[in-house]
């Protein structure tokens, strides 16, 4: 019996007509073994992604065609997993969801192996450089090295573009067979303007020569985008081939604007340097163990010691976690959805190709449960299989990655600051050090509603040496940053002797927090904890500030510090996920 779920047979894009109506071409029925709750949950994640990461629950009900009670249960389960935040009547994608896309990116290893080469080329040319992979008849970005300009690129990692409107598209199409071309023609006929690709503006008739451009790309070994995506945007692309198979592993592109380059200058000035970089990328692939982008075959199964625990497992394993979640949330928690998404995270670096046994072992699921999840994911296009070996597809990046990949540190921290402020009933802030380390700058803040409160606006700067925020960051970064030559007394309590300040900073480094009492302003007491990035480097700080009459120094340490540390731990956890394959702004 077919599960009663919305059709997601081709979830990469949803072509619509000019009237805004989604056509209903025949789609293959879901296999009898498909997990209906997993299909429904993925449908909700897709709609949230299409809504740029936030949607009301009622809008999700309309977009998915699911009952409101079903949407509520799905979002409650996703919230329990840390993949979604519920804010009143709205559901918001949370950075933790990026671990699904991270599993795919880690499994193919291409960003890890090649992104430094792309970044170096972007610096050399002062132009944006991207890496893309094929997703059926579309193209998805897996790395972006962009330039900061008034007219900058807005493509995000995971964004799906139609192959015919990109420079990488013809290069991927050189490897298409009759079935792939038939699918592309059917999609073009159903959606001639490309409205099923929300990452680009609709456009009709500007790329009817795609087949000819593909033939040209096959002959030349490179391809151009001459304002196909939108006026003014030009790009040149070269395929990066896997030396072991000769197939296109990914495509590297240099993207510019017509105010800086014409297609002729792209060919003459940039193409030779792009080709040189691609040659170095292919050398990197040749020297890397395994087959990072092979289309067939598989890597050795993971050993028990190298297999990480399932994402939500904690110390008790997936079964214990789902059991506890079910006991706490009752019927609002959908175990089969949580287990199915955990199957995605069983893949990763060194685990690109897994057998059913590998997946069951990595997740702790019964083989029958893992098998049904894999069948469902394969039906939806997120997993492909060959010779009983499974691997993730680029489509996984469509589950929240594009909007989440643009989140700066301030937005990652904001909901956690709000929760902290609500728990301690005091103002909470996030700040970073300015260049040189002389000042702290506030980048996120949640204030309490009091008659007398700490009034600081975003962007405010204070001397780093006189603030708790500055001291925990200075303590973690010395001697990379230096103290000001002249320490000005801001209050009678301000530490202005350099030797004494260094002693204070050493104690802060040892204690892991800083408490400043009346040194920035009389009556202002604050306590701060550093925020570390993926590499353990201090990158920001969070503090709680209050009037000195509300809590003693001892109470700050006993009552505020544990809550502050727990909040920073949650921020760092999301920052590690969000920063695995991209640079988080503000870090």
């Amino acid at each position: 019996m077919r599960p009663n779920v919305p059709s997601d047979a081709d979830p990469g894009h949803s072509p619509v007509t000019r009237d805004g109506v989604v056509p209903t071409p025949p789609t293959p029925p879901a296999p009898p073994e498909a997990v209906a709750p997993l299909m429904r949950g993925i449908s909700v994640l897709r709609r949230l992604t299409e809504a740029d990461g936030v949607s009301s629950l009622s809008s999700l009900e309309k977009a998915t065609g699911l009952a409101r009670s079903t949407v509520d249960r799905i979002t409650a389960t996703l919230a329990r997993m840390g993949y979604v935040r519920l804010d009143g009547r709205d559901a918001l994608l949370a950075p933790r969801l990026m671990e699904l896309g991270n599993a795919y990116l880690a499994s193919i290893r291409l960003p890890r192996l090649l992104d430094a080469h792309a970044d170096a080329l972007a610096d050399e040319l002062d132009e944006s450089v991207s890496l893309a992979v094929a997703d059926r008849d579309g193209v998805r970005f897996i790395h972006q090295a962009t330039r900061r300009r008034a007219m900058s690129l807005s493509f995000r990692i995971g964004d799906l573009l139609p192959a015919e409107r990109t420079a990488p598209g013809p290069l991927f199409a050189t490897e298409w067979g009759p079935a792939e071309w038939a699918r592309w023609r059917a999609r073009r006929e159903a959606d001639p303007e490309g409205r099923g690709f929300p990452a680009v503006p609709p456009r009709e008739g500007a790329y009817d020569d795609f087949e000819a451009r593909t033939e040209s790309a096959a002959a030349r070994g490179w391809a151009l985008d001459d304002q196909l995506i939108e006026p003014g945007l030009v790009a040149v692309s070269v395929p990066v081939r896997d030396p072991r198979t000769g197939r296109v592993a990914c495509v590297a592109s240099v993207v510019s604007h017509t105010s800086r380059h014409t297609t002729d200058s792209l060919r003459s000035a940039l193409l030779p340097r792009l080709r040189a970089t691609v040659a170095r990328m292919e050398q990197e692939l040749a020297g890397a163990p395994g087959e990072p982008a092979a289309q067939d075959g598989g890597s050795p199964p993971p050993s028990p010691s190298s297999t990480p625990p399932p994402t939500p497992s904690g110390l008790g394993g997936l079964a214990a976690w789902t059991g506890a979640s079910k006991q706490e949330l009752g019927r609002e928690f959908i175990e089969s959805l949580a287990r199915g998404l955990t199957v995605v995270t069983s893949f990763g670096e060194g685990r690109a190709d897994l057998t059913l046994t590998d997946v069951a072992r990595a997740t702790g699921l019964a083989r029958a449960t893992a098998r049904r999840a894999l069948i469902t994911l394969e039906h939806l296009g997120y997993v492909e299989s060959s010779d009983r070996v499974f691997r993730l597809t680029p489509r996984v990046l469509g589950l929240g990655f594009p909007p989440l990949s643009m989140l700066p540190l301030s937005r990652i921290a904001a909901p956690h600051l709000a929760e902290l402020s609500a728990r301690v009933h005091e103002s909470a802030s996030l700040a970073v050090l300015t260049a040189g380390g002389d000042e702290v700058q506030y980048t996120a803040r949640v204030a309490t509603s009091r008659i007398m409160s700490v009034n600081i606006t975003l962007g405010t700067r204070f001397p780093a040496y006189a603030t708790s925020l500055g001291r925990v960051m200075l303590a973690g970064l010395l001697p990379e940053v230096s103290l000001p030559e002249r320490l000005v007394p801001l209050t009678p309590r301000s530490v202005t002797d350099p030797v004494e300040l260094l002693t204070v900073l050493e104690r802060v480094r040892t204690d892991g927090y800083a408490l400043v009492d009346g040194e920035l302003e009389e009556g202002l007491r604050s306590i701060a904890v550093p925020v570390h990035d993926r590499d353990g480097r201090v990158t920001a700080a969070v503090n709680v500030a209050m009037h000195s009459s509300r809590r003693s120094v001892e109470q700050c340490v006993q009552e505020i510090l544990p809550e502050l540390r727990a909040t920073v731990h949650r921020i760092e956890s999301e920052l590690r996920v969000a920063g695995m394959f991209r640079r988080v702004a503000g870090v």
Side-chain angles (χ1 to χ4, degrees), residues 124-125 220 222-224 235-236 254 260-275:
E124 175 190 344
L125 301 179
R220 298 187 299 188
W222 53 272
L224 284 173
V236 60
V254 177
R260 294 174 58 84
H261 280 284
T262 65
T263 53
D264 287 338
S265 66
L266 284 179
R267 284 194 299 264
S268 61
L270 303 189
L271 179 58
R273 284 182 279 183
L274 175 58
R275 278 177 156 163

Side-chain angles (χ1 to χ4, degrees), residues 248-323:
V248 178
C250 66
V251 170
S253 304
V254 177
V255 187
S256 188
H257 193 270
T258 51
S259 61
R260 294 174 58 84
H261 280 284
T262 65
T263 53
D264 287 338
S265 66
L266 284 179
R267 284 194 299 264
S268 61
L270 303 189
L271 179 58
R273 284 182 279 183
L274 175 58
R275 278 177 156 163
T277 296
V278 166
R280 289 190 289 272
M281 290 179 175
E282 291 176 342
Q283 290 174 357
E284 193 82 51
L285 296 184
E291 296 188 21
Q295 302 297 313
D296 300 302
S299 57
S303 64
S305 61
S306 67
T307 301
T311 299
S313 64
L315 297 177
L318 179 62
W321 181 86
T322 55

Side-chain angles (χ1 to χ4, degrees), residues 168-238:
L171 295 167
F172 288 123
T174 60
E175 297 183 339
W176 287 0
E180 288 80 10
W181 280 108
R183 182 170 57 208
W184 174 79
R185 293 186 184 99
R187 191 261 297 166
R188 287 279 289 119
E189 183 176 353
D191 182 21
E193 295 180 338
R195 292 182 180 272
F197 296 85
V200 294
R203 196 175 180 194
E204 185 175 11
Y207 30 76
D208 292 333
D209 61 343
F210 180 57
E211 294 173 76
R213 288 193 292 117
T214 299
E215 292 181 4
S216 176
R220 298 187 299 188
W222 53 272
L224 284 173
D225 167 6
D226 187 2
Q227 307 181 73
L228 294 173
I229 292 177
E230 64 180 19
L233 188 67
V234 291
V236 60
S237 296
V238 172

